[in-house]
Amino acid sequence: MKRKKILFVCTGNTCRSPMAELLLRDKIKKAKIKWWDVSSCGIQAEVGGTISVNSKTALNEAGISVDKFSPRQLTQKIIAASNIVVCMTGSQKQLLEDCGNVVCVKDICGYDVPDPYGLDIEAYRTTRDALSVACDLIIKNYILQYKD
């Protein structure tokens, strides 16, 4: 069976999309779901950076370790190689909707995920928890239902 790919997209690929990537990867592993790869990119990623300290802390609190992570710039090639592209906001989806297979978190669970960049740890925990709910719904409504 050919591997399938889900891509999370946010602005800088340092806060929301890496958290979503690592949360979904953890959930897929625990559910023993095979054949799915998870990655993330940023529309305006600063390549050479790292995941934000508060994102790492919020994930660590949830039992998810962040060994190494490097932000990646979104490209058409990465989008084309993905079965599903999940943007954090409707406005990000609008930028990419001509690319195909693009949805946003609001399509999945009814809310956008605002950027916590520069805010306190509590904002990152709220973001993590909102993304965790979205990841559960992605598994239920996309991954487990996905057909070629």
Side-chain angles (χ1 to χ4, degrees):
M1 180 177 225
K2 185 178 178 187
R3 297 194 70 76
K4 293 173 179 44
K5 297 179 181 180
I6 186 163
L7 174 70
F8 288 102
V9 175
C10 70
T11 305
N13 196 217
T14 60
C15 301
R16 296 171 290 176
S17 60
M19 281 200 285
E21 173 187 345
L22 295 166
L23 283 163
L24 185 59
R25 191 176 290 148
D26 183 68
K27 289 173 182 285
I28 286 173
K29 183 178 179 182
K30 287 178 178 171
K32 297 183 176 156
I33 297 170
K34 298 183 187 296
W35 308 110
W36 280 89
D37 295 324
V38 185
S39 63
S40 63
C41 288
I43 294 170
Q44 298 172 345
E46 187 174 320
V47 178
T50 187
I51 191 168
S52 73
V53 172
N54 282 343
S55 292
K56 184 175 182 176
T57 300
L59 288 169
N60 288 340
E61 290 173 354
I64 300 169
S65 66
V66 182
D67 295 329
K68 58 181 180 175
F69 180 86
S70 296
R72 291 190 313 157
Q73 178 63 43
L74 182 66
T75 65
Q76 181 56 44
K77 183 177 179 180
I78 294 170
I79 292 172
S82 302
N83 297 90
I84 303 167
V85 177
V86 182
C87 298
M88 296 295 122
T89 66
S91 60
Q92 291 166 341
K93 176 187 171 184
Q94 285 179 327
L95 289 172
L96 304 177
E97 63 188 352
D98 291 337
C99 299
N101 295 328
V102 177
V103 297
C104 64
V105 173
K106 190 171 188 171
D107 296 332
I108 295 164
C109 51
Y111 52 80
D112 280 336
V113 180
D115 194 349
Y117 183 78
L119 300 177
D120 64 13
I121 186 64
E122 207 49 52
Y124 284 79
R125 290 176 180 134
T126 299
T127 299
R128 176 203 60 211
D129 295 345
L131 289 169
S132 182
V133 170
C135 288
D136 289 339
L137 290 170
I138 288 167
I139 290 171
K140 179 182 175 189
N141 297 325
Y142 289 86
I143 291 175
L144 295 177
Q145 304 298 321
Y146 193 87
K147 298 186 180 25
D148 281 328

